[in-house]
Amino acid sequence: GFGFAIAMGVYAKGPVIFLHLMPALLAAPLWADPATRPRAGVIGRGVGLAFALALGLVALWVVPAAIAGGPEYRHMILWEQTAGRTVNSFAHARPWYWLIALMPVILYPWIWSGALWRGLVRLRLSDRSLRLALVWAGAGVALFSLVSGKQVQYLIPELPAVALIFARALIAAEEAGLARRNWLAAGLAVALGGGLIAAALGLVGDPRLSAQLAPSWVVIAIAGGLAVAAIAALRLPVVASSTAIGLALILALNLVIGLTGLGRGYDSAVIAAKIAPREAAGIAVIARQYHEEFGFEARLTGPVALPAHDEAGAWLAAHPGGVLLAECAFAPLPLEGAEVVDFNGTDWCLWRG
């Protein structure tokens, strides 16, 4: 089971799975009952067998892919995508405290509940299963804080451990009669709805965001629904109340993304649909760093051209039916002849041959 978990983790994201799984294994003396814990030799043989199984399962894909992909692809999957993010990340480089500073957002609405904190102080480290959950969650946060490249979603495998800890705390609070309504989380949801309305009306924030949050009446309706749901949830017991508030917020944000221009502004399909029909005639991209953002969505069957900045005009002249795509801030040709498309917070320019 452990070997299969490692293999599936490697397939999902790479060797980083060891940062999620190994701390709990190495800390087994802290949480496993000495009366039932296997001897060190037995654990060592089991770990060796798990690693061998994981290596075999991963090799079923890695070996053919590395052979077929060529040297550059082999370097990317075997080294760059893991080691390249660890010390001096090529992407998502953040300060060490970044994940910790985001905990009030990552763990909303639970961490904003007074009942949770009143329950947490009643927990005791003599509980071995609590120690396991703390090692699982705490080591993940600590290790990913040391890694250069950080994304919030890297901590998703730690959320089950957090759920176990919080569930214990909330049960302890309820048993002690300390569980009260989560007014703070509800108030924050209402405040966020107000912030969305202000952004949609152009009262705060970036003008680009205001333009994406259109039509504004949709945002106002969704924010109003969120406020009603958050306040209504306060009539429920604390666990059900926090659950309802969290779900209402997630639903509201998804509706905002889906029913306004915000979703379209982060959808690679918009540009992909413009370049896909011209693959036979030629597609070129000029960007400070291009990570094939549009190739999969456009279902391209071959690589795009990557001409130098000063070669753009010559390339376009040589491909009269092709399309040249570049970041507008890095534009190699006059903007007057380009179609501008907003993607991922950046203006992209398209020139057709």
Side-chain angles (χ1 to χ4, degrees), residues 289-309:
Q289 197 169 31
Y290 180 57
H291 290 295
E292 300 288 346
E293 287 91 335
F294 312 109
F296 178 78
E297 191 69 45
R299 298 299 190 267
L300 302 183
T301 57
V304 302
L306 300 171
H309 196 270

Side-chain angles (χ1 to χ4, degrees), residues 264 267-279 283 293-300 323 325 339 341 343 350 352:
R264 182 178 174 84
D267 187 358
S268 62
V270 178
I271 291 179
K274 297 179 182 296
I275 66 175
R278 295 177 176 260
E279 182 176 17
I283 300 172
E293 287 91 335
F294 312 109
F296 178 78
E297 191 69 45
R299 298 299 190 267
L300 302 183
V323 61
L325 177 67
E339 178 185 357
V341 181
F343 170 67
L350 290 89
R352 293 176 174 85

